[in-house]
Amino acid sequence: MAIISDDNDFGKQNLKTKNPIIKTESIEYDKTFENSIRPKSFDDYIGQSALKETLKISIEAAKMREKPLDHLLFYGPPGLGKTTLAGVIAEQMGTDIKITSAPALERPRDIIGILMSLKGGEILFIDEIHRLNKVAEEILYPAMEDFFLDMTTGKSQTVKTLRVPLPKFTLIGATTKAGELSGPLRDRFGIIYRLQFYSIEELAAVIKRTASILDIKITEEGAVAIAKRSRGTPRIANRLVKRVSDFALIKFDGVITDEVANYSLDILNIDEFGLDTTDRALLNLIIEKYDGGPVGIETIAAALSEDVRTLEDVCEPYLLQAGLLQRTPRGRKVSPEGYRHLGKKINNLQQSLFD
Ligand code: ADE
């Protein structure tokens, strides 16, 4: 299976920019690292077991019918393995995958070009698909539904519509915000699935697998200690195992034990819930400046000099899932657990709002 990527990085770094293609050494390095440890088969892919079982059946059925797989939409917070899963599906279908992201499909010719370059049975992966513009979406509808491109030629009175056939392909869309997808686009996906946060056991298994690929020595307790601070997210777990392995090598005897992991993660300011400085700053700000909330996300972003999208896509999903933050129609509120986690006392007025 060949992975043909247009070289976008889909991480946090790009969220603030209009142009999604920024190449810096660290982004390139990160991508190479992620690619080197990506599982290639369902057996290697840890977690998301219900989804894996459904997918295996759909893949077998598609192969038996000698038809491409239905279009798939994966949604959920970043770092849970949407791109990885698309790669595994391509491998399992024995086909190639072309990877792009919606912000890279700005002009009609971007999406037309990529659709016309597909071969029969190939997979097209579009990340951040909720950011697709209207024109690109409308080009995609007949392509997804009937494998046609509707092209117009000529001007006003002489305008002609041409139906150009496309090879049968499978679109895999990924998004952190399923709610922002238009109804007609969502309706064209045969399979829609939300990826779940990983359990500690699953993350420990991911960490041990990565450690063995990278030749990092780690104990079971060391893997669990890192897993506990990985916010349910394999991408974070894999980054942390590398950071901790540096400490193990320089400050200890090279082996990641629970003691080494906890020592290193404390120094890296990752607390026992996996919250980093930004997460804690967000909770602290709401408590200290807005009496625990509710307060709007734009106000929080401005006060923290952070991007709204980064807060919404990267910080909030885990804070909400961990029950430290609450979303209300009037803005974000820190929960009693959030107060407790930061060692802050909740005042009577705030407490009465929760009772
Ligand atoms: N690395 C990142 N995600 C993974 C997963 N789900 N299984 C195994 N290794 C991974």
Side-chain angles (χ1 to χ4, degrees):
M1 178 201 61
I3 296 186
I4 305 144
S5 163
D6 67 358
D7 246 348
N8 288 325
D9 179 86
F10 309 129
K12 204 164 170 173
Q13 293 92 331
N14 284 337
L15 295 174
K16 285 185 187 171
T17 62
K18 190 170 175 305
N19 181 351
I21 307 169
I22 0 166
K23 288 191 183 176
T24 70
E25 277 187 14
S26 69
I27 292 175
E28 285 301 300
Y29 170 79
D30 243 34
K31 252 186 73 181
T32 319
F33 165 60
E34 276 197 27
N35 285 337
S36 71
I37 55 170
R38 262 190 220 290
K40 304 273 186 298
S41 69
F42 281 124
D43 287 342
D44 279 349
Y45 189 97
I46 296 154
Q48 315 293 347
S49 40
L51 172 56
K52 273 193 330 191
E53 289 316 306
T54 314
L55 283 174
K56 280 184 197 166
I57 291 172
S58 304
I59 291 172
E60 283 317 303
K63 278 184 173 169
M64 212 179 266
R65 292 192 190 107
E66 297 183 13
K67 291 246 168 77
L69 199 59
D70 274 355
H71 305 303
L72 288 145
L73 178 69
F74 293 146
Y75 69 100
L80 298 187
K82 298 188 274 291
T83 314
T84 306
L85 207 46
V88 170
I89 293 170
E91 189 74 33
Q92 236 43 47
M93 288 293 294
T95 184
D96 286 349
I97 178 166
K98 289 205 165 87
I99 299 180
T100 186
S101 87
L105 305 172
E106 211 174 332
R107 301 156 303 180
R109 71 172 137 117
D110 298 324
I111 182 96
I112 291 171
I114 202 158
L115 286 169
M116 300 220 3
S117 76
L118 293 171
K119 296 189 194 73
E122 259 182 11
I123 291 177
L124 171 61
F125 180 82
I126 305 184
D127 203 15
E128 297 192 69
I129 196 158
H130 62 279
R131 296 176 70 185
L132 213 56
N133 63 47
K134 221 51 257 106
V135 177
E137 252 192 40
E138 274 165 20
I139 293 170
L140 211 48
Y141 294 157
M144 287 175 79
E145 212 155 1
D146 303 316
F147 304 106
F148 271 108
L149 269 181
D150 281 328
M151 309 257 264
T152 48
T153 57
K155 289 212 171 96
S156 52
Q157 273 110 1
T158 61
V159 72
K160 277 204 191 105
T161 308
L162 215 66
R163 296 213 100 187
V164 181
L166 289 170
K168 293 194 168 52
F169 67 98
T170 299
L171 176 69
I172 303 184
T175 176
T176 49
K177 294 201 166 100
E180 285 187 16
L181 222 65
S182 74
L185 183 56
R186 202 171 40 237
D187 291 346
R188 283 171 171 82
F189 287 98
I191 304 171
I192 301 184
Y193 212 96
R194 182 185 204 284
L195 272 79
Q196 309 292 335
F197 280 113
Y198 288 58
S199 68
I200 305 287
E201 293 73 32
E202 288 167 345
L203 285 178
V206 170
I207 290 165
K208 285 186 283 179
R209 177 180 177 275
T210 301
S212 100
I213 293 170
L214 301 180
D215 239 342
I216 293 169
K217 294 190 189 69
I218 190 163
T219 65
E220 180 65 36
E221 294 76 18
V224 170
I226 298 177
K228 283 184 178 159
R229 300 198 197 196
S230 298
R231 312 163 62 104
T233 308
R235 182 184 290 157
I236 296 180
N238 284 332
R239 284 187 184 156
L240 292 183
V241 76
K242 282 199 70 192
R243 295 285 68 76
V244 173
S245 85
D246 295 345
F247 280 85
L249 213 58
I250 303 302
K251 292 256 185 203
F252 298 90
D253 63 357
V255 182
I256 302 180
T257 61
D258 51 348
E259 187 200 349
V260 171
N262 289 329
Y263 170 89
S264 318
L265 295 170
D266 284 346
I267 291 185
L268 292 168
N269 268 322
I270 314 269
D271 70 21
E272 63 278 17
F273 257 56
L275 307 197
D276 64 15
T277 347
T278 311
D279 303 313
R280 286 194 302 273
L282 185 150
L283 295 175
N284 253 318
L285 175 87
I286 303 177
I287 294 175
E288 299 293 334
K289 292 268 186 328
Y290 300 97
D291 208 13
V295 55
I297 191 73
E298 283 83 9
T299 310
I300 301 173
L304 295 176
S305 303
E306 272 290 352
D307 178 62
V308 171
R309 203 175 280 141
T310 304
L311 294 183
E312 281 185 340
D313 292 356
V314 183
C315 297
E316 275 196 348
Y318 184 72
L319 294 175
L320 293 166
Q321 138 100 16
L324 303 174
L325 190 71
Q326 293 175 347
R327 231 171 166 156
T328 75
R330 289 171 49 230
R332 277 56 170 179
K333 264 171 76 167
V334 176
S335 70
E337 289 74 24
Y339 274 82
R340 230 170 284 133
H341 182 67
L342 292 189
K344 305 264 181 197
K345 250 183 97 67
I346 189 162
N347 67 32
N348 290 340
L349 173 66
Q350 279 296 334
Q351 184 61 55
S352 69
L353 295 175
F354 287 109
D355 289 339

